[in-house]
Amino acid sequence: MAFVNFSLLFGASLLAIPIVLHLVMRQQPKQLIFPAVRFLKQRKETNRRQLQLRHWLLLLLRCLAIVLFAAALARPSVHSLQLGNWMMAGVLGLLLLIAGLLTALSLIQRRGHLVSGGLLLATLLLAGTTAWIVRSTLADDRQVAIGNQQAPVAAVLVFDTSPRMQYSWQGRTRLEEAQDLAAWLIRQLPPDSEVAVVDSRTGGAVFAVDLSAALRSIERLETAGMPLPLTGVLDQAIELAAASRKARREVYVFSDLTDAAWTAESSAALQRRLAEASDVLLYVLDVGRDDPQNTFLGELQLSDEILPQSSDLTIQGDIECVGDGGTRTVELYLEQTDPQLPLIQDGKTILPEPQLRDKQLIQLEAGSGQTFRFQLRGLGLGTHQGWVKVANQDALAWDNTRHFTVEVQEASPVLVLAPPGVNTRFFTEAVAPYEFRQTGRAPYACSVFEQAQLQNLVLDDYSAVCLLDPLPLTPPDWDKLGGYMRRGGGLGIFLGHNADPAAFNAAAARPVLGGRLLRQWRSAGDVFLAPRDLNHPVTAAFREIATAVPWQQFPVHRHWVMDDFADQTRLVIPYSNNQPAVIETSLDRGRGLTMTTPISDPLQLQGRQPWNELPTGSDAWPYLVLVNEMLRYLVDTAGIQLNYLVGETAMLPNHPDRHPDRYQLFTPFGQPLEAVSAEGRIVVRYTEYPGAYRLKGNRGGPVVRGFCVNFPKSASRLERIGRERLNELLGPDRYHFARSRDEIVLGIGEARMGFEFYPWLVCLVALVLAMEQLLSNRFYRRTE
């Protein structure tokens, strides 16, 4: 409890005046002689007791009036968190006063032991309860500084700078509204206050040099592409405020209160921090809208990011609306290919011209969504960047556009080696079908040679080399294959009945195979492929349909058993008997895949059973997917990603024989940066802003590459957090909530000054004086 005018409490000493007057001006009884003295003596004792009770009661009221008047002038106040306890103590004190008066009256009038004892017991219980509540309230460890509104403040201002704060209403974004409100708040702070500005970006904060510096920091605030959860930012802000030496410490949170900003990941740490820093006042200032209206695009789904020449690109996505529906126009733009762009001219970045390629009219119901689909044909070789856009403008503009990047490549050359008599069509038709080859849409150009010609071929001319059911190789053959892998090549080996453990376990073969060939495993048709790790690039295509792939319908009757794997070897796919089916090994820059069962056995073999039914089973689409994903991984296109979410690290392969080592990186937000190739990759970690990122280099001519970055779909969610949920995160009595300046003034005044008892005490003074006047008139009225 605090007092605005503590010295005026000494005015309570004036209660001695009525006591002195009471003692000095006591009415002396008059001596009268009556004949019937006996009856008067009986009445004398009763009158004396009543007169004493009246005197003491009037004295109590007069003393109480003086004490209450002095307390009212002192203006006591308590923190709002302790108001309930003090109100309870006041009610119990009033009941204690009444019970004490009744107890005194019963003792004076000798109402009986039962009545007097009961009232006395009630009085003692009320006295003990009141004393306990007052003592526990005074001992409360929340030592909040109240009573002086002009005391310097250590204020930490926390801003929600998520992309949703760009929501515009009446020409102002939510961030601009928060900045304006914060600037007004800083001007209301007492002199000598210190201010720190914290936003949703990474990194800590310190108190500004002065209030002007804090205002400049607020003016420079921008939305962040990777905002931190407000629960974690608020935890840091409270820690910063608690470390200040100012007597009064306050934290203000400016947010639109969208649910996505208040995650439960760090809520436990925040609640512990709030409990530890109980003297830090917390204000939550809502600058959001209760009924937001927004139309946004979901994440785009591309048919592929790496396309073979003459292939079609399919773009599919969702458009959704929050609030009112209506007709929306979705447009598809594609930048025109220009190898000279982008470039800097007169200090400005010149970008390729966009071209409207297609558009659709979509009718949306209120709060619903629809799917759109575009198809692009005739894309030339190289990198293509574009975007899908909602032409209709709304309150949140950035989520009306989704960027995409694809790269069209020539068919990757693949060398297929097999001994005479081994069927290679199961492989070549799976990765480069005849129809695709005729129309120029095949992603691979397969060259088939006999295994014996290995030494006469230049392996570096091929993106990948595949050996189908190979015969034993000579050490020079293994050395040549190993050298190809070390230079960055991809090698696939599909073991079959031609393999021989003695030859395949030679010293030159072990690093290439990745393990030791042990023996053959025969089954009765109850063994099949059983992928488990669906995070590997080879198996990632099965991730969303893992439970729908009928591997049991394609039994493996025979396979090789391998063990004693090298350190750089990992299991990709096992069989259902836990033996390895596909393993991966790495040699310097290259990679290799070894499959322990062939993919070249027809359904009917002369004199022997086929090793498996993977390529020959009914509706063998799992085989087609598996072989294509294996080859994509070997030619290093499976690992190429051109479309990212904000905050993800972009990595593009950079082959020294056909790509430059250095690039200019043109970002959506500023001057170009330098990107340098390292270990065969271009790595870009600064992907905080959405848009197209362009890489421009030179290797005998301009080389233009790129990728794009988008916000996740969750960033467009405008659902607001409820007060119940906010109470769970912060505590129902731990923060002050406000939506306007008047509410802020009221909340700050209550928090800094506490809850004042002045009006209540004035009312009590008036009530006590009225009671004193009423009783004195009643006790001393003249009778005619």
Side-chain angles (χ1 to χ4, degrees), residues 170-236:
Q170 296 181 344
R172 293 171 61 85
T173 67
R174 299 304 86 204
L175 181 58
E176 292 172 345
E177 189 71 22
Q179 290 171 310
D180 184 62
L181 189 61
W184 168 82
L185 179 63
I186 288 180
R187 290 191 290 268
Q188 311 305 312
L189 293 177
D192 299 327
S193 297
E194 56 183 8
V195 177
V197 178
V198 183
D199 62 11
S200 301
R201 298 172 183 267
T202 58
V206 295
F207 286 102
V209 177
D210 51 30
L211 299 185
S212 298
L215 287 171
R216 290 192 296 271
S217 298
I218 293 174
E219 293 174 357
R220 291 193 296 266
L221 286 175
E222 296 179 352
T223 54
M226 300 179 295
L228 296 173
L230 279 182
T231 47
V233 178
L234 185 54
D235 184 12
Q236 300 176 5

Coordinates of all heavy atoms in Angstrom, one line a residue, residues 170-236:
Q170 N -8.2 1.7 -43.4 CA -8.4 3.1 -43.6 C -7.0 3.8 -43.9 O -6.7 4.8 -43.4 CB -9.0 3.7 -42.3 CG -10.4 3.3 -42.0 CD -10.9 3.9 -40.8 OE1 -10.2 4.5 -39.9 NE2 -12.3 3.8 -40.6
G171 N -6.3 3.1 -44.8 CA -5.1 3.6 -45.3 C -3.9 3.5 -44.4 O -2.8 4.1 -44.7
R172 N -4.0 2.8 -43.3 CA -2.9 2.6 -42.4 C -2.7 1.1 -42.1 O -3.7 0.4 -41.8 CB -3.1 3.4 -41.1 CG -3.1 4.9 -41.3 CD -3.6 5.6 -40.0 NE -2.7 5.2 -38.9 CZ -1.6 5.9 -38.6 NH1 -1.2 6.9 -39.4 NH2 -0.9 5.6 -37.5
T173 N -1.4 0.7 -42.1 CA -1.1 -0.7 -41.8 C -1.2 -0.8 -40.3 O -1.1 0.2 -39.5 CB 0.2 -1.1 -42.3 OG1 1.3 -0.4 -41.7 CG2 0.3 -0.9 -43.8
R174 N -1.2 -2.1 -39.8 CA -1.2 -2.3 -38.4 C 0.1 -1.9 -37.7 O 0.1 -1.4 -36.6 CB -1.5 -3.8 -38.1 CG -2.9 -4.3 -38.6 CD -4.0 -3.5 -38.0 NE -4.3 -2.3 -38.9 CZ -5.0 -1.2 -38.4 NH1 -5.3 -1.1 -37.2 NH2 -5.2 -0.2 -39.2
L175 N 1.2 -2.1 -38.5 CA 2.5 -1.6 -38.0 C 2.5 -0.1 -37.8 O 3.1 0.4 -36.9 CB 3.6 -2.2 -38.9 CG 5.0 -1.8 -38.4 CD1 5.3 -2.4 -37.0 CD2 6.1 -2.4 -39.4
E176 N 2.0 0.6 -38.8 CA 2.0 2.1 -38.7 C 1.1 2.5 -37.6 O 1.5 3.5 -36.9 CB 1.5 2.6 -40.0 CG 2.4 2.5 -41.2 CD 1.8 2.9 -42.5 OE1 0.5 3.0 -42.6 OE2 2.5 3.0 -43.5
E177 N 0.0 1.8 -37.3 CA -0.8 2.1 -36.2 C -0.1 1.9 -34.9 O -0.1 2.7 -33.9 CB -2.1 1.3 -36.2 CG -3.1 1.6 -35.2 CD -3.8 2.9 -35.5 OE1 -3.8 3.3 -36.7 OE2 -4.4 3.6 -34.6
A178 N 0.7 0.8 -34.8 CA 1.5 0.5 -33.6 C 2.6 1.6 -33.4 O 2.9 2.0 -32.3 CB 2.1 -0.9 -33.7
Q179 N 3.2 2.0 -34.5 CA 4.3 3.0 -34.4 C 3.7 4.3 -33.9 O 4.3 5.0 -33.1 CB 5.0 3.2 -35.8 CG 5.8 2.0 -36.2 CD 6.3 2.1 -37.7 OE1 5.5 2.4 -38.6 NE2 7.6 1.9 -37.9
D180 N 2.6 4.7 -34.4 CA 2.0 6.0 -34.0 C 1.6 5.9 -32.5 O 1.8 6.9 -31.8 CB 0.8 6.3 -34.9 CG 0.1 7.6 -34.6 OD1 0.8 8.6 -34.7 OD2 -1.0 7.6 -34.1
L181 N 1.0 4.8 -32.1 CA 0.6 4.6 -30.7 C 1.8 4.6 -29.8 O 1.8 5.2 -28.7 CB -0.2 3.3 -30.6 CG -0.9 3.1 -29.2 CD1 -1.9 4.2 -28.9 CD2 -1.5 1.7 -29.2
A182 N 2.9 4.0 -30.2 CA 4.1 3.9 -29.4 C 4.8 5.3 -29.3 O 5.3 5.7 -28.2 CB 5.1 2.9 -30.0
A183 N 4.8 6.1 -30.4 CA 5.3 7.4 -30.4 C 4.6 8.3 -29.4 O 5.1 9.1 -28.6 CB 5.3 8.1 -31.7
W184 N 3.2 8.2 -29.4 CA 2.4 8.9 -28.5 C 2.7 8.5 -27.0 O 2.8 9.3 -26.1 CB 0.9 8.7 -28.8 CG 0.0 9.2 -27.7 CD1 -0.4 10.5 -27.5 CD2 -0.6 8.4 -26.7 NE1 -1.3 10.5 -26.4 CE2 -1.4 9.3 -25.9 CE3 -0.5 7.1 -26.3 CZ2 -2.1 8.8 -24.8 CZ3 -1.2 6.6 -25.2 CH2 -2.0 7.5 -24.5
L185 N 2.9 7.2 -26.8 CA 3.1 6.7 -25.5 C 4.5 7.2 -24.9 O 4.6 7.5 -23.8 CB 3.1 5.2 -25.5 CG 3.4 4.4 -24.2 CD1 2.3 4.7 -23.2 CD2 3.5 2.9 -24.4
I186 N 5.5 7.2 -25.8 CA 6.8 7.7 -25.3 C 6.7 9.1 -24.9 O 7.3 9.5 -23.9 CB 7.8 7.5 -26.4 CG1 8.2 6.0 -26.6 CG2 9.1 8.3 -26.1 CD1 9.2 5.7 -27.7
R187 N 5.9 9.9 -25.6 CA 5.8 11.4 -25.2 C 5.0 11.5 -23.9 O 5.1 12.6 -23.2 CB 5.1 12.1 -26.3 CG 5.9 12.3 -27.5 CD 5.3 13.3 -28.5 NE 4.1 12.8 -29.1 CZ 4.1 12.1 -30.3 NH1 5.2 11.9 -30.9 NH2 3.0 11.7 -30.8
Q188 N 4.3 10.4 -23.4 CA 3.6 10.5 -22.1 C 4.5 10.0 -21.0 O 4.1 10.2 -19.8 CB 2.4 9.6 -22.2 CG 1.5 9.9 -23.4 CD 1.0 11.3 -23.6 OE1 0.6 11.9 -22.6 NE2 1.2 11.8 -24.8
L189 N 5.7 9.5 -21.3 CA 6.5 9.0 -20.2 C 7.0 10.1 -19.3 O 7.3 11.2 -19.8 CB 7.6 8.1 -20.8 CG 7.2 6.8 -21.5 CD1 8.5 6.2 -22.1 CD2 6.5 5.9 -20.5
P190 N 7.2 9.8 -18.0 CA 7.8 10.8 -17.1 C 9.3 11.2 -17.6 O 9.9 10.4 -18.3 CB 7.8 10.1 -15.8 CG 6.8 9.0 -15.9 CD 6.9 8.6 -17.3
P191 N 9.7 12.3 -17.2 CA 11.1 12.7 -17.5 C 12.1 11.7 -16.9 O 11.8 11.0 -15.9 CB 11.3 14.1 -16.8 CG 9.9 14.6 -16.7 CD 9.0 13.4 -16.4
D192 N 13.3 11.6 -17.5 CA 14.4 10.7 -17.1 C 14.0 9.2 -17.3 O 14.7 8.4 -16.7 CB 14.8 11.0 -15.7 CG 15.3 12.4 -15.5 OD1 15.9 12.9 -16.4 OD2 15.0 13.0 -14.4
S193 N 13.0 8.9 -18.1 CA 12.7 7.5 -18.3 C 13.6 7.0 -19.4 O 14.2 7.7 -20.2 CB 11.2 7.4 -18.8 OG 10.3 7.8 -17.8
E194 N 13.7 5.7 -19.5 CA 14.6 5.0 -20.5 C 13.7 4.0 -21.2 O 12.8 3.4 -20.7 CB 15.8 4.3 -19.9 CG 15.5 3.3 -18.8 CD 16.7 2.7 -18.2 OE1 17.8 3.2 -18.5 OE2 16.6 1.8 -17.4
V195 N 14.0 3.9 -22.6 CA 13.1 3.1 -23.4 C 14.0 2.2 -24.3 O 15.0 2.6 -24.8 CB 12.3 4.0 -24.4 CG1 11.4 3.1 -25.3 CG2 11.4 4.9 -23.5
A196 N 13.5 0.9 -24.4 CA 14.1 0.0 -25.3 C 13.1 -0.5 -26.3 O 11.9 -0.7 -26.0 CB 14.7 -1.2 -24.6
V197 N 13.5 -0.7 -27.6 CA 12.6 -1.1 -28.6 C 13.0 -2.5 -29.1 O 14.1 -2.7 -29.5 CB 12.6 -0.1 -29.8 CG1 11.7 -0.6 -30.9 CG2 12.2 1.3 -29.4
V198 N 12.0 -3.4 -29.0 CA 12.3 -4.8 -29.4 C 11.2 -5.2 -30.4 O 10.1 -4.9 -30.2 CB 12.2 -5.8 -28.1 CG1 12.6 -7.2 -28.5 CG2 13.1 -5.3 -27.0
D199 N 11.7 -6.0 -31.4 CA 10.7 -6.4 -32.4 C 10.9 -7.9 -32.6 O 11.6 -8.6 -31.9 CB 10.8 -5.7 -33.8 CG 12.2 -5.9 -34.4 OD1 12.9 -6.8 -33.9 OD2 12.5 -5.2 -35.4
S200 N 10.1 -8.5 -33.6 CA 10.1 -9.9 -33.8 C 11.3 -10.5 -34.5 O 11.3 -11.7 -34.8 CB 8.8 -10.3 -34.5 OG 7.7 -9.9 -33.8
R201 N 12.2 -9.7 -34.8 CA 13.4 -10.2 -35.5 C 14.4 -10.9 -34.5 O 14.2 -10.7 -33.3 CB 14.2 -9.1 -36.2 CG 13.4 -8.4 -37.3 CD 14.2 -7.1 -37.8 NE 13.4 -6.4 -38.8 CZ 13.6 -6.6 -40.1 NH1 14.4 -7.5 -40.5 NH2 12.9 -6.0 -41.0
T202 N 15.4 -11.5 -35.0 CA 16.3 -12.2 -34.1 C 17.3 -11.1 -33.5 O 17.4 -10.0 -34.0 CB 17.2 -13.2 -34.9 OG1 17.8 -12.5 -36.0 CG2 16.3 -14.3 -35.4
G203 N 17.9 -11.4 -32.4 CA 18.8 -10.5 -31.8 C 18.2 -9.8 -30.5 O 17.0 -9.7 -30.4
G204 N 19.1 -9.4 -29.6 CA 18.6 -8.8 -28.4 C 18.4 -7.3 -28.6 O 18.5 -6.7 -29.7
A205 N 18.2 -6.6 -27.5 CA 17.9 -5.1 -27.5 C 18.5 -4.5 -26.3 O 18.7 -5.2 -25.2 CB 16.4 -4.8 -27.6
V206 N 18.8 -3.3 -26.3 CA 19.3 -2.5 -25.2 C 18.5 -1.2 -25.1 O 17.8 -0.8 -26.0 CB 20.8 -2.2 -25.3 CG1 21.6 -3.4 -25.3 CG2 21.1 -1.4 -26.6
F207 N 18.6 -0.5 -23.9 CA 17.9 0.7 -23.8 C 18.6 1.8 -24.6 O 19.8 1.9 -24.7 CB 17.9 1.1 -22.3 CG 17.0 0.3 -21.5 CD1 17.5 -0.7 -20.6 CD2 15.6 0.6 -21.5 CE1 16.6 -1.5 -19.9 CE2 14.7 -0.2 -20.7 CZ 15.2 -1.2 -19.9
A208 N 17.7 2.6 -25.2 CA 18.2 3.7 -26.1 C 18.9 4.8 -25.3 O 18.7 4.9 -24.1 CB 17.0 4.3 -26.9
V209 N 19.7 5.5 -26.0 CA 20.4 6.6 -25.3 C 19.5 7.6 -24.7 O 19.6 8.1 -23.6 CB 21.4 7.3 -26.3 CG1 22.1 8.4 -25.7 CG2 22.4 6.3 -26.9
D210 N 18.4 8.0 -25.5 CA 17.4 8.9 -25.0 C 16.1 8.6 -25.7 O 16.0 7.7 -26.5 CB 17.8 10.4 -25.2 CG 18.3 10.6 -26.6 OD1 17.7 9.9 -27.6 OD2 19.1 11.5 -26.9
L211 N 15.1 9.4 -25.4 CA 13.8 9.1 -25.9 C 13.7 9.4 -27.4 O 13.0 8.7 -28.2 CB 12.7 9.9 -25.2 CG 12.6 9.6 -23.7 CD1 11.4 10.4 -23.1 CD2 12.4 8.1 -23.5
S212 N 14.5 10.4 -27.9 CA 14.6 10.7 -29.3 C 15.2 9.5 -30.1 O 14.7 9.2 -31.2 CB 15.4 11.9 -29.6 OG 14.8 13.0 -28.9
A213 N 16.2 8.8 -29.6 CA 16.7 7.7 -30.2 C 15.7 6.5 -30.3 O 15.6 5.8 -31.3 CB 18.0 7.2 -29.5
A214 N 14.9 6.4 -29.2 CA 13.9 5.3 -29.2 C 12.9 5.6 -30.3 O 12.4 4.7 -31.0 CB 13.3 5.2 -27.9
L215 N 12.5 6.9 -30.4 CA 11.5 7.3 -31.5 C 12.1 7.0 -32.9 O 11.3 6.5 -33.8 CB 11.2 8.8 -31.4 CG 10.3 9.2 -30.2 CD1 10.2 10.7 -30.0 CD2 8.9 8.5 -30.3
R216 N 13.3 7.2 -33.1 CA 13.9 6.9 -34.4 C 13.9 5.4 -34.7 O 13.7 5.0 -35.8 CB 15.3 7.5 -34.5 CG 15.4 9.0 -34.6 CD 16.8 9.5 -34.9 NE 17.8 9.2 -33.9 CZ 18.1 10.0 -32.9 NH1 17.4 11.1 -32.7 NH2 19.0 9.6 -32.0
S217 N 14.2 4.6 -33.6 CA 14.1 3.2 -33.8 C 12.8 2.7 -34.2 O 12.6 1.8 -35.0 CB 14.6 2.5 -32.5 OG 15.9 2.8 -32.2
I218 N 11.7 3.3 -33.6 CA 10.4 3.0 -33.9 C 10.0 3.3 -35.4 O 9.4 2.6 -36.1 CB 9.4 3.6 -32.9 CG1 9.6 3.1 -31.5 CG2 8.0 3.5 -33.4 CD1 8.8 3.8 -30.5
E219 N 10.5 4.5 -35.8 CA 10.3 4.9 -37.2 C 10.9 3.9 -38.2 O 10.4 3.8 -39.3 CB 10.8 6.3 -37.4 CG 10.0 7.4 -36.6 CD 10.7 8.7 -36.7 OE1 11.7 8.8 -37.4 OE2 10.1 9.7 -36.2
R220 N 12.0 3.3 -37.8 CA 12.7 2.4 -38.8 C 12.2 1.0 -38.8 O 12.7 0.1 -39.5 CB 14.2 2.4 -38.4 CG 14.9 3.7 -38.7 CD 16.4 3.5 -38.6 NE 16.9 3.1 -37.3 CZ 17.3 4.0 -36.4 NH1 17.3 5.3 -36.6 NH2 17.7 3.6 -35.2
L221 N 11.2 0.7 -38.0 CA 10.7 -0.7 -37.9 C 10.1 -1.2 -39.2 O 9.4 -0.4 -39.9 CB 9.6 -0.8 -36.8 CG 10.1 -0.7 -35.3 CD1 8.9 -0.7 -34.4 CD2 11.0 -1.9 -35.0
E222 N 10.4 -2.4 -39.6 CA 9.8 -3.1 -40.8 C 9.4 -4.5 -40.4 O 9.8 -5.0 -39.4 CB 10.9 -3.1 -41.9 CG 11.3 -1.8 -42.4 CD 12.4 -1.9 -43.5 OE1 12.8 -3.1 -43.7 OE2 12.7 -0.9 -44.1
T223 N 8.5 -5.0 -41.2 CA 8.0 -6.3 -41.0 C 9.1 -7.3 -41.3 O 10.0 -7.1 -42.1 CB 6.8 -6.7 -41.8 OG1 7.1 -6.4 -43.2 CG2 5.6 -5.9 -41.4
A224 N 9.2 -8.4 -40.6 CA 10.2 -9.4 -40.7 C 9.7 -10.6 -41.4 O 8.5 -11.1 -41.2 CB 10.7 -9.8 -39.3
G225 N 10.5 -11.2 -42.3 CA 10.1 -12.4 -43.0 C 10.1 -13.6 -42.2 O 9.3 -14.5 -42.4
M226 N 11.0 -13.6 -41.1 CA 11.0 -14.8 -40.2 C 10.8 -14.3 -38.8 O 11.7 -14.2 -38.0 CB 12.4 -15.5 -40.3 CG 12.7 -16.0 -41.7 SD 14.4 -16.8 -41.7 CE 15.4 -15.4 -41.4
P227 N 9.6 -13.9 -38.5 CA 9.3 -13.4 -37.1 C 9.4 -14.5 -36.1 O 9.0 -15.6 -36.3 CB 7.9 -12.8 -37.2 CG 7.3 -13.7 -38.3 CD 8.3 -14.0 -39.3
L228 N 10.0 -14.1 -34.9 CA 10.0 -15.0 -33.8 C 8.7 -15.0 -33.1 O 7.9 -14.0 -33.2 CB 11.1 -14.5 -32.8 CG 12.5 -14.6 -33.3 CD1 13.5 -14.0 -32.3 CD2 12.9 -16.0 -33.6
P229 N 8.3 -16.0 -32.4 CA 7.0 -16.0 -31.6 C 7.1 -14.9 -30.6 O 8.1 -14.7 -29.9 CB 7.0 -17.4 -31.0 CG 7.9 -18.3 -31.8 CD 9.0 -17.3 -32.3
L230 N 5.9 -14.3 -30.4 CA 5.9 -13.2 -29.4 C 6.2 -13.7 -28.0 O 6.6 -12.9 -27.1 CB 4.5 -12.5 -29.5 CG 4.4 -11.4 -30.6 CD1 3.0 -10.8 -30.5 CD2 5.5 -10.4 -30.5
T231 N 5.8 -14.9 -27.7 CA 6.1 -15.5 -26.4 C 7.6 -15.4 -26.1 O 8.0 -15.1 -25.0 CB 5.6 -16.9 -26.3 OG1 6.0 -17.7 -27.4 CG2 4.1 -16.9 -26.2
G232 N 8.4 -15.8 -27.1 CA 9.9 -15.8 -26.8 C 10.4 -14.4 -26.8 O 11.3 -14.0 -26.0
V233 N 9.9 -13.5 -27.7 CA 10.4 -12.1 -27.7 C 10.0 -11.4 -26.3 O 10.8 -10.6 -25.8 CB 9.8 -11.3 -28.9 CG1 10.2 -9.9 -28.8 CG2 10.2 -12.0 -30.2
L234 N 8.8 -11.7 -25.9 CA 8.3 -11.1 -24.6 C 9.1 -11.6 -23.4 O 9.4 -10.8 -22.5 CB 6.8 -11.4 -24.4 CG 6.1 -10.8 -23.2 CD1 6.3 -9.3 -23.2 CD2 4.7 -11.2 -23.2
D235 N 9.6 -12.8 -23.5 CA 10.5 -13.3 -22.4 C 11.7 -12.5 -22.3 O 12.2 -12.1 -21.3 CB 10.7 -14.8 -22.7 CG 11.6 -15.5 -21.6 OD1 11.7 -14.9 -20.5 OD2 12.1 -16.6 -21.8
Q236 N 12.4 -12.2 -23.5 CA 13.6 -11.4 -23.5 C 13.3 -10.0 -23.1 O 14.1 -9.4 -22.4 CB 14.2 -11.4 -24.9 CG 14.5 -12.8 -25.5 CD 15.0 -12.7 -26.9 OE1 15.1 -11.7 -27.5 NE2 15.2 -13.9 -27.5

